[in-house]
């Protein structure tokens, strides 16, 4: 096969610290090559060098057999290399078409922008990808998942031959992911090459033809996906045997911790009822727009229009705002830790104490000793890897950031833990640690409700699963009867 991109001996250091050593990689035309590794493995540095964001210290890059060195993303793009980044950067009050063709708008007869031609081209691209999005919609009107789809369309609009996809499904549901995979298959058939970065191993085994593993900034190995199994690949990524991926130490009791009756919010969810027992991990699965997250918005007092009955330990409670939910012992880990779970500009310590400020500052003056002790206890309990608790939380890996969010809520000793995509953007090693935290909490008698768009995760962690479709509960399955087929059947 023709080599679209080849890398040998790539190195990069920052302040004397090696971020990448002996980076090796080769992408064949008409293939999907998975770039695997945990947080801190060197994947981002590798992609940044290839996109011209960072200058390499050593090594060689070939593009279609010719040595190259890009000094800017514009040069990489001009060479036919585009990237779909994990962090979205939309211009919210411009249309989808304007975002896709930003800086490349077609000109009309008198030198102005030809909006009609631009909208037509953008809509054709969206339709070809089977994305249910109108080109004339504003970005601000879209969900995070649909914004991600627009970013994918934008990258493909450059007609690039090499496309880097960095966690492209992290914010989209199962149905949208399948649309993306279908688009990837069409790109492969056209002879293009895809470099695919994802922590979701099920996706990698579904769509990738080859893999390369980095660990601790160094090249570990490459091969064909057909020649490697899941345990072996996980071992290469983490450098050790992990054993069972999903840890189940909890056992549901007969006592009901949370009961919901007739929960509804106009246009979002309707007549949703369920019970969750103490010691149980109750999973919620559904496609994007099915009403999964909206359930948590209602339970946590984030939806003013919500109605229905909520009972904790058999007693009905009134929750009109998040402060009411917190006072009743509910904790909410949101699906986007960077936007709604953390204050990225603040320290690890401050983030851990964020949900407990009233208790730590009863006279509007922070009791520093209590804050330091609380921070240290959560860092030790959850094995958070931070040089010091005063460092910015933005400097931590995704897995450690998520453990800070968990620490923030566990500090309050919650009765009910609401988890929305608790392992999104987290590597396999950190995932296993988070699974242990969740199971240990349930095993101690806690009540857990967990939303996940990963079928393997829902099946591996849940004692029962409620499937949402069109704002309603399509069914509740016991662990023994739940499987991938039954979840997909109920959700579509």
């Amino acid at each position: 096969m023709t080599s679209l991109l080849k890398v040998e001996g790539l190195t990069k250091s920052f302040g004397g610290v090696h971020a990448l050593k002996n980076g090796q990689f080769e992408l064949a035309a008409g293939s999907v090559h998975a770039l695997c590794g945990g947080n801190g493995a060197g994947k981002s540095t590798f992609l940044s060098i290839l996109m011209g964001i960072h200058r390499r210290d050593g090594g060689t890059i070939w593009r279609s057999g010719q040595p190259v060195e890009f000094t800017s993303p514009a040069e990489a793009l001009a060479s036919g290399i585009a990237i779909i980044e994990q962090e979205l950067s939309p211009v919210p009050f411009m249309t989808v078409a304007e975002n896709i063709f930003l800086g490349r708008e077609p000109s009309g007869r008198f030198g102005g922008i030809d909006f009609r031609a631009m909208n037509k081209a953008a809509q054709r691209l969206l339709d070809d990808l089977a994305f249910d999005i109108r080109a004339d919609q504003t970005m601000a009107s879209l969900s995070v998942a649909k914004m991600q789809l627009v970013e994918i369309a934008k990258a493909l609009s450059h007609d690039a031959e090499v496309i880097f996809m960095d966690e492209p499904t992290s914010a989209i549901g199962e149905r949208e992911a399948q649309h993306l995979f279908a688009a990837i298959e069409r790109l492969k058939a056209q002879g293009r090459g895809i470099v695919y970065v994802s922590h979701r191993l099920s996706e990698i085994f579904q769509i990738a033809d080859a893999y390369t593993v980095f660990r601790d900034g160094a090249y570990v190995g490459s091969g064909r996906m057909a020649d490697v199994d899941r345990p072996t690949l996980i071992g290469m990524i983490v450098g050790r045997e992990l054993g069972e991926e999903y840890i189940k130490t909890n056992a549901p009791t007969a006592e009901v911790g949370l009961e919901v009756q007739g929960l509804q919010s106009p246009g979002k969810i309707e007549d949703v009822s369920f019970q969750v027992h103490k010691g149980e991990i109750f999973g919620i699965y559904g496609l994007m727009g099915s009403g999964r997250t909206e359930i948590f918005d209602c339970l946590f007092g984030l939806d003013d229009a919500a109605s229905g009955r909520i009972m904790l330990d058999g007693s009905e409670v009134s929750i009109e705002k998040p402060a009411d939910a917190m006072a009743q012992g509910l904790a909410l880990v949101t699906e986007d830790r960077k936007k709604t779970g953390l204050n990225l500009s603040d320290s690890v310590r401050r983030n851990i104490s964020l949900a407990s400020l009233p208790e730590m500052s009863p006279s509007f003056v922070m009791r520093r000793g209590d804050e330091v002790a609380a921070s240290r206890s959560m860092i030790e309990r959850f094995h958070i890897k931070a040089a010091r608790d005063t460092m910015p939380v933005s400097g931590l890996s995704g897995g450690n950031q998520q453990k800070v969010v968990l620490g923030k809520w566990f500090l309050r000793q919650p009765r009910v833990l609401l988890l929305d995509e608790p392992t999104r953007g987290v590597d396999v090693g950190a995932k296993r640690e988070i699974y242990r935290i969740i199971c240990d909490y349930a095993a101690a008698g806690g009540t857990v409700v967990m939303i996940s768009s990963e079928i393997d995760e829902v099946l591996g962690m849940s004692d029962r699963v409620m499937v949402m479709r069109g704002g309603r509960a399509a069914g509740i399955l016991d662990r023994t009867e739940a499987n991938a087929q039954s979840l997909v059947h109920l959700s579509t």
Side-chain angles (χ1 to χ4, degrees), residues 283-297:
I284 300 179
Y285 177 78
L287 304 178
M288 185 183 70
S290 63
R292 303 172 310 176
T293 296
E294 287 76 8
I295 292 173
F296 282 4
D297 289 345

Side-chain angles (χ1 to χ4, degrees), residues 300-375:
F300 208 69
L302 293 168
D303 188 338
D304 295 335
S307 61
R309 301 181 68 199
I310 302 171
M311 281 158 281
L312 296 174
D313 298 333
S315 300
E316 185 170 359
V317 296
S318 175
I319 297 176
E320 297 181 356
K321 55 186 182 295
D324 298 335
M326 292 166 66
Q328 294 294 343
L330 272 67
L332 173 61
V333 175
T334 58
E335 64 178 327
D336 191 334
R337 60 180 170 270
K338 292 187 177 181
K339 287 188 176 180
T340 54
L342 297 168
N343 180 352
L344 291 174
S345 64
D346 218 334
S347 67
V348 173
R349 180 193 301 172
R350 292 280 183 87
N351 273 275
I352 288 174
S353 63
L354 199 57
S356 304
L357 291 178
E359 293 78 11
M360 291 189 183
S361 53
S363 303
F364 303 102
V365 177
M366 177 64 73
R367 294 197 296 242
R368 296 298 177 191
D370 291 351
E371 185 185 33
V372 171
S375 172

Side-chain angles (χ1 to χ4, degrees), residues 380-403:
E380 291 175 6
R381 179 175 178 180
F382 297 144
H383 307 292
I384 298 170
K385 295 178 182 177
R388 58 192 183 284
D389 69 355
T390 55
M391 70 175 289
V393 74
S394 59
L396 301 185
S397 68
N400 284 299
Q401 286 182 353
Q402 193 71 340
K403 286 191 279 187

Side-chain angles (χ1 to χ4, degrees), residues 7-14 16-25 35-36 40-50 54-61 212-220:
V7 177
E8 287 187 350
L10 209 61
T11 61
K12 180 65 180 178
S13 296
F14 295 98
V17 177
H18 284 290
L20 188 64
K21 296 172 287 187
N22 191 32
Q24 298 183 43
F25 188 86
L35 182 59
C36 307
K43 304 187 304 295
S44 295
T45 301
F46 182 76
L47 293 180
S48 294
I49 293 171
L50 295 181
H54 295 310
R55 300 289 295 272
R56 64 181 183 264
D57 295 335
T60 309
I61 303 170
T212 291
V213 176
F214 286 178
R215 186 176 67 243
D216 297 329
Y219 170 81
V220 174

Side-chain angles (χ1 to χ4, degrees), residues 437-485:
I437 292 168
I438 295 169
C439 277
D440 285 353
Y441 171 80
T447 303
V448 179
V449 186
M450 184 186 78
I451 294 171
S452 177
S453 57
E454 293 192 50
I455 289 180
D456 289 350
E457 183 170 85
V458 170
L459 295 175
M461 290 294 292
S462 304
D463 298 295
R464 289 183 298 143
V465 183
M466 179 171 72
V467 181
M468 293 293 295
R469 183 180 70 233
R472 292 177 174 271
I476 297 178
L477 304 174
D478 287 328
R479 182 176 177 84
T480 54
E481 60 184 343
N483 55 48
Q485 290 74 24

Side-chain angles (χ1 to χ4, degrees), residues 37-105:
N39 291 316
K43 304 187 304 295
S44 295
T45 301
F46 182 76
L47 293 180
S48 294
I49 293 171
L50 295 181
M51 285 302 301
I53 297 170
H54 295 310
R55 300 289 295 272
R56 64 181 183 264
D57 295 335
T60 309
I61 303 170
W62 287 273
R63 171 75 175 92
S64 296
Q66 298 297 316
V68 294
E69 180 168 2
F70 304 128
T71 59
S72 69
E75 288 185 8
L77 194 58
S79 180
I81 302 176
I83 187 169
I84 299 166
E85 297 186 272
Q86 182 179 359
E87 300 299 328
L88 304 181
S89 55
V91 183
F93 296 105
M94 295 179 74
T95 67
V96 169
E98 288 169 331
N99 271 266
I100 289 175
F101 290 104
L102 190 62
R104 302 176 293 132
E105 300 86 352

